[in-house]
Amino acid sequence: MALQELLEKVKSGRYVMSVIGVGRVGLPLSVAFASRGVRVYGVDVSAQHVQNLREGKIPFKEDLIEKFFPNENFIPTTDSIGAVNQSDVIILTIGTPLTEHTREDYSQLNAVLDGITKVDLRNKIIIMRSTSSPGTLENIIIPNIEKRTGLKCGKDFAAAVCPERIVEGKALEELWILPEFIGVKDDTSFEVAKEVFLTLNKDKVILKTTPKSAELGKLFTNVYRYINFALANEFGLLAEFHGEDAHEIINMLNYKYHRGGLPRPGLTGGPCLSKDGYYLISHLNFPDFILFAWRLNESIPKYVVNKVKRELEKSGKQLWQSKIAVLGRAFKANIDDLRYSPAENIVEILKTENADIYAHDPHVKGSHSLEESVMDADAIILAVNHNEFKGIENSLQGYKQNCILFDCWGMIDPLVAEKRGFKYMRFGSGKHKV
């Protein structure tokens, strides 16, 4: 009966929500629900972050968010117990990192469960939105709540897993339209969770599944992409070996071919792609190609640095004697997120070689300007395929004569680069050996 009351409250839109963890997933989600008239408590452990949100400061780049933020329905707070106590819907969007031994780190999840179970969770729903390993809802979240409170899932409280699938920079746009798959153990939990997400869009497609299927599906989505990128990178290395250009070959293969869409080689990383494979295979005790894909993708930054290093040595210079400009710091194009960024990995590797490093990124605050980065540079590494870098070979100024221009993405026109005096190199190409 209690959960039926919760279902009716959610259907009527008279519910209150707490989103625990208002970072790159939780903040857009909170703003999306607040824009639909839901009172949302955005809970975070960082007092400074909460204060910034109260002042209307958006902490990262995200399209459309300024249109709906700040919003009087969105209340940032550090008081998780007070927020949960007043809420009907609790969505967990916390960090799910790996330990130093590449195992699941449940410390943040356990801390949240320790806090929310101090509140009467009767007639509430807990929705796990964060990426997690298979079995997290059934083996950790629900048993933890039931043991601490004496309540029963499906009778006294509802629980579901509904993984996020947004792309950074387009979070709000995708929250309106993307289908949601919801993993549950009981029908009532599904009905409540379904109505919650229909708040965002009454025509949103909602798919019902088991908790483990939902958790597996999210992981496989990211791992599938990651492995494809690894395969593209391996093809790039093979093309180099044979003296050909992988970018030219892949462009040719994709041209007007209805089964095209082959990815091109490039730096691959980010907080989801880099770690989700470990969540997927954490219960296996034998080698697998997900691990091999990780090793290949993670090796590319060092490979790039070594190629630049060898080319500098041909002209009698060492890395520690050289100024290196790195263009791009984010983990992918057109965002400002540095987590698990291959470009930042390049910067760190160069630091260990004592190079003089200037890193420019138009999306990342605190970066060097393009002009000061390129001025007197011995080498320029185009590490991120930001839109701002398209055609950049036409506008670079002040670099040293015979400056190396290493293109990690095949964005630069080799003829223009060479005409402008660069020693042009491209990852995935054996044609441009300098």
Side-chain angles (χ1 to χ4, degrees), residues 29-50:
L29 186 71
S30 300
V31 172
F33 276 101
S35 73
R36 293 296 192 251
V38 179
R39 187 180 187 186
V40 181
Y41 290 97
V43 181
D44 204 274
V45 295
S46 170
Q48 184 59 60
H49 180 50
V50 166

Side-chain angles (χ1 to χ4, degrees), residues 150-295:
L151 303 176
K152 293 298 179 184
C153 181
K155 178 184 176 183
D156 303 306
F157 71 95
V161 55
C162 184
E164 61 84 15
R165 292 192 291 164
I166 57 172
V167 63
E168 284 190 28
K170 302 290 183 181
L172 285 172
E173 178 182 332
E174 295 197 342
L175 279 169
W176 309 136
I177 62 173
L178 281 184
E180 304 285 350
F181 52 90
I182 298 176
V184 292
K185 292 181 65 178
D186 62 275
D187 292 339
T188 305
S189 290
F190 173 73
E191 290 300 323
V192 176
K194 179 183 75 172
E195 292 299 329
V196 168
F197 285 98
L198 287 177
T199 303
L200 296 177
N201 176 2
K202 64 181 179 59
D203 296 320
K204 181 183 270 285
V205 175
I206 307 291
L207 306 172
K208 182 181 180 181
T209 188
T210 64
K212 280 188 179 180
S213 290
E215 292 158 343
L216 283 166
K218 162 63 177 179
L219 294 170
F220 185 63
T221 298
N222 285 343
V223 170
Y224 177 80
R225 294 174 59 228
Y226 191 68
I227 289 175
N228 276 295
F229 292 146
L231 186 60
N233 284 336
E234 183 164 346
F235 183 67
L237 297 173
L238 288 168
E240 285 191 22
F241 176 80
H242 288 286
E244 299 297 338
D245 190 312
H247 300 271
E248 293 178 1
I249 296 170
I250 292 171
N251 287 342
M252 175 181 66
L253 295 175
N254 286 334
Y255 182 71
K256 291 189 176 181
Y257 185 57
H258 65 282
R259 288 193 297 274
L262 299 175
R264 296 192 300 169
L267 298 174
T268 303
C272 292
L273 297 188
S274 297
K275 69 179 176 65
D276 283 7
Y278 283 102
Y279 273 102
L280 189 60
I281 64 169
S282 61
H283 301 292
L284 303 182
N285 57 3
F286 50 85
D288 74 297
F289 60 86
I290 293 175
L291 179 59
F292 296 144
W294 178 86
R295 286 177 174 170

